[in-house]
Amino acid sequence: MSIKAAKASDRTGEADLHGRPTAMRRRGACPALAAPMPTGDGLLVRLRPAGGALTPSQFASLARSAAAHGNGILEITARGNLQIRGLRAETVGQLAADIDAAGITVPDGPAIETSPMHGIDPEERSDPAAMEMALRSTFHDLLASPRLAPKLSLVVDGGGAFGLSALSADIRIVAQSPADWLVAINGDGETAMPVAIGPTEAAISAVGEILSLLTTLGQGGRARDIDPALLRARFPAMDDIQFISSRAAGMPLAGSHRLEDGKIILGVRPEFGQMRASDLIALLDLATNRGATAVRLAPGRGLFFIGLSADTVPAMQIAAARHGFSTQPGENTEHVAACAGAGACGSAFYETRTLARRLIAAAPALFDGSLTLHLSGCAKGCAHARPALTLTGSAEGYGLILNGLAADQPDERIAGGRIDFAIERLARAIEDNKDAGESTAACLTRLGVTGVSKALRQE
């Protein structure tokens, strides 16, 4: 699909960009450029440039377009995709035209996620970008099938210092050596079920078999729904596959990393994954002046600047911090998933980022890295799709969910004016009850709903 072909409907809420009814844009569908999703602050589009890579000038052009045609807020998702917020039906086509004019390619079909270090990581076992191109070329029509689930996920992991073992996917293609690939389904590097292993051609063929099975399930079908008997009929040797599972963390996103050629990669994270176009443009302009040749979007809500010289990094880090980006690993903001929040999204009942900063200062016990704190302005849970320690906003205040989704029934309800007190009490209960060597997540599990409720009700 040419992005230029994307035309916004005149009346949001009635049809998508191809005239299809809005049922095609249900929540949970992938809000691609051709089918933006209505949110509390307008329309949202999610896109992944080819290879997850942009030049600094392309990214700056995209940011300027986001400011001109949206509300100027851009986000990097947990999977390393880019979101542009606050668009209107009549401006989506203008954004698409700007993307084309900047020379940015957004492939059709589901996102195929590759490591942000692909092609430059000396520890990489095989080239995931070449595998992605081969998959898109071989299965162009199949990947574009309307019978595939809108959020179907594919990961191509070439290995290396910044692997993708922590990312869950419907289909995983993982380099085992320069010549061989493992194909697995429904999980991350540790939990996915292997179905085939072999050279590139065999791996591509196996992916085609899985896609074919998925099309028979229709739009609601994911890899977990494939009949095991059908799977074994297609892959009779799958139970004999020997491989080493992995969920190694790899190198941290934030910070500087030296390549073999002496150039530096600088990783930064916008606070809670969100940035304003003006801050991003200023940082990109500085990066260009300092010699950066590319920007790679990265899982974990961050990005890498490629091609800096070592002497430029300190100034870049200072500028990044000034514009709201974290530049050091281990900061507490890494453990918070916060949606746009009130003031940016009309559906939100509280300012998620303001509360996040207060909680980081007031409740350090929550941030030992063993759990994610999910601050959701409403029950939609846009920022985090997995169970977490969650605070969901509502007209009555907050719902506290110890290990669940934003839409789950709260374990405890907290009045709006008592939220700071309640979280401080929760942190105190963790500090008072945590055993030696015990994590915060384990302590909360042991305390359970009864123990946490008791702690929150103490004056």
Side-chain angles (χ1 to χ4, degrees):
M1 177 195 75
S2 168
I3 293 176
K4 290 177 181 175
K7 302 293 185 182
S9 68
D10 292 332
R11 299 170 64 188
T12 183
E14 292 190 3
D16 70 8
L17 301 184
H18 295 296
R20 294 176 299 216
T22 52
M24 296 294 289
R25 289 188 287 153
R26 66 191 184 280
R27 179 157 295 281
C30 183
L33 192 62
M37 176 181 289
T39 67
D41 58 344
L43 298 177
L44 176 146
V45 300
R46 182 182 303 144
L47 55 89
R48 179 175 178 81
L54 296 164
T55 66
S57 63
Q58 284 176 329
F59 206 174
S61 295
L62 186 56
R64 284 190 288 270
S65 185
H69 306 307
N71 61 11
I73 295 177
L74 300 93
E75 296 170 327
I76 304 176
T77 71
R79 300 186 72 92
N81 298 315
L82 187 66
Q83 295 187 160
I84 298 172
R85 304 190 68 95
L87 296 160
R88 303 183 306 280
E90 64 271 20
T91 64
V92 176
Q94 295 166 329
L95 172 72
D98 289 348
I99 291 174
D100 266 355
I104 299 169
T105 300
V106 181
D108 291 334
I112 299 178
E113 292 151 344
T114 56
S115 168
M117 302 283 282
H118 66 79
I120 55 176
D121 185 346
E123 298 179 31
E124 196 170 63
R125 290 189 287 270
S126 194
D127 184 2
M131 173 60 82
E132 177 187 358
M133 290 179 62
L135 290 172
R136 291 197 183 278
S137 174
T138 305
F139 304 120
H140 178 272
D141 292 340
L142 193 53
L143 287 169
S145 171
R147 295 191 58 78
L148 290 176
K151 294 192 74 171
L152 185 74
S153 55
L154 293 87
V155 163
V156 181
D157 190 348
F162 197 100
L164 302 178
S165 59
L167 283 188
S168 182
D170 288 282
I171 304 174
R172 301 184 62 80
I173 307 101
V174 183
Q176 303 295 288
S177 70
D180 288 330
W181 296 83
L182 172 75
V183 179
I185 65 168
N186 187 34
D188 57 25
E190 184 178 22
T191 63
M193 177 187 296
V195 298
I197 191 168
T200 299
E201 295 77 11
I204 292 172
S205 176
V207 172
E209 294 281 2
I210 298 166
L211 290 171
S212 178
L213 288 172
L214 287 168
T215 59
T216 67
L217 298 175
Q219 282 200 349
R222 304 295 291 270
R224 61 178 176 267
D225 303 314
I226 297 175
D227 184 336
L230 287 176
L231 198 63
R232 283 178 168 78
R234 299 285 184 100
F235 303 102
M238 60 181 285
D239 292 328
D240 299 324
I241 294 174
Q242 300 293 320
F243 81 106
I244 299 174
S245 64
S246 173
R247 280 203 65 179
M251 74 181 213
L253 193 162
S256 59
H257 315 279
R258 186 180 296 273
L259 292 175
E260 287 183 330
D261 64 2
K263 293 293 186 179
I264 299 294
I265 295 174
L266 177 62
V268 302
R269 297 177 71 253
E271 189 179 41
F272 313 120
Q274 189 177 99
M275 51 203 165
R276 293 201 170 273
S278 55
D279 288 317
L280 177 59
I281 291 167
L283 190 59
L284 288 165
D285 286 347
L286 180 60
T288 299
N289 293 335
R290 300 285 178 169
T293 56
V295 183
R296 303 278 185 91
L297 302 173
R301 306 180 193 277
L303 52 89
F304 288 110
F305 289 102
I306 312 297
L308 298 168
S309 57
D311 61 339
T312 66
V313 170
M316 277 291 296
Q317 290 178 314
I318 292 171
R322 187 170 65 247
H323 290 291
F325 294 80
S326 300
T327 62
Q328 300 299 327
E331 295 190 15
N332 287 340
T333 55
E334 293 181 14
H335 308 302
V336 179
C339 69
C345 177
S347 298
F349 288 94
Y350 70 97
E351 295 182 1
T352 54
R353 285 161 171 73
T354 299
L355 180 60
R357 297 183 192 102
R358 296 206 310 266
L359 297 185
I360 287 171
L366 294 176
F367 302 101
D368 68 346
S370 65
L371 56 76
T372 295
L373 176 60
H374 178 195
L375 301 182
S376 184
C378 72
K380 295 175 184 176
C382 299
H384 195 70
R386 292 186 175 186
L389 177 62
T390 301
L391 275 174
T392 301
S394 70
E396 293 75 34
Y398 302 84
L400 176 65
I401 301 152
L402 294 185
N403 185 31
L405 306 177
D408 290 346
Q409 186 70 20
D411 295 312
E412 188 74 19
R413 296 188 185 277
I414 304 167
R418 291 179 57 84
I419 185 61
D420 286 19
F421 171 82
I423 295 299
E424 288 175 11
R425 292 300 309 172
L426 179 61
R428 178 69 60 83
I430 293 168
E431 293 169 348
D432 292 345
N433 289 279
K434 187 187 288 188
D435 294 333
E438 187 178 34
S439 70
T440 294
C443 181
L444 279 175
T445 298
R446 182 167 54 80
L447 287 174
V449 174
T450 301
V452 169
S453 296
K454 180 180 177 181
L456 294 182
R457 296 176 191 280
Q458 290 178 349
E459 296 294 339

